[in-house]
Amino acid sequence: MKNDTGRAKCVSLTIRGFTSQAQEVADLIGVQSSHQGNVGELVRPYVKTLLTRSYVQYTIEYSNEVALSEMLAPLIQKLGGTQNLIDVQGKVKAEFLELHFDLPSISSEFPQDGYFSNSDIQICSELNTSISLGFF
């Protein structure tokens, strides 16, 4: 699903800023994370910067034909639903949740436009999550 830039259209949910170990949070959610890290660990093996917050991140990649309004629900369902995420967030006292959509830009072979459905907006409201869009 990656294009010639080496990036794939995807959506990710990151739970950030908790005192538990990242693997403990992933275990509570019940799904192995795509990426995770604990406060004080190296950001990347070749970088001396240390993480200031622990995090777990879950990502789903999509083909370019999938509409923006169809991307969030499968991720939330994979993670056990909105209530499961609310419960985990409350247990681990996460500082915040972030949703990030990585989308092809207007100059790509697959230009992207779209909208968030009412149910997507409701999910984001219930989770009290931030939303960011990245274009490649």
Side-chain angles (χ1 to χ4, degrees):
M1 289 189 239
K2 295 188 190 296
N3 65 15
D4 48 337
T5 65
R7 291 173 67 179
K9 181 177 184 176
C10 65
V11 60
S12 62
L13 175 72
T14 305
I15 302 171
R16 195 178 301 277
F18 44 82
T19 56
S20 306
Q21 291 293 303
Q23 188 57 51
E24 291 174 21
V25 176
D27 291 344
L28 284 172
I29 290 176
V31 177
Q32 183 57 44
S33 63
S34 305
H35 301 286
Q36 65 185 35
N38 294 299
V39 67
E41 293 178 350
L42 295 175
V43 172
R44 302 215 188 311
Y46 50 86
V47 177
K48 292 183 179 182
T49 306
L50 301 177
L51 289 170
T52 58
R53 290 183 175 94
S54 297
Y55 76 97
V56 292
Q57 182 178 66
Y58 298 90
T59 303
I60 294 182
E61 293 183 359
Y62 291 96
S63 68
N64 287 324
E65 293 79 25
V66 175
L68 176 62
S69 62
E70 299 171 349
M71 293 175 65
L72 180 58
L75 175 62
I76 299 302
Q77 184 177 18
K78 175 183 174 180
L79 301 178
T82 305
Q83 191 58 52
N84 184 48
L85 292 169
I86 291 169
D87 292 346
V88 170
Q89 185 180 19
K91 286 178 186 173
V92 301
K93 309 252 188 289
E95 289 179 42
F96 52 94
L97 274 65
E98 305 166 333
L99 272 172
H100 179 74
F101 294 83
D102 211 10
L103 307 164
S105 71
I106 194 88
S107 62
S108 77
E109 184 180 340
F110 298 97
Q112 188 65 56
D113 63 0
Y115 63 92
F116 292 110
S117 67
N118 289 340
S119 60
D120 288 350
I121 294 168
Q122 182 178 355
I123 289 168
C124 294
S125 175
E126 289 174 9
L127 293 175
N128 196 28
T129 184
S130 66
I131 301 171
S132 63
L133 303 169
F135 297 94
F136 56 90

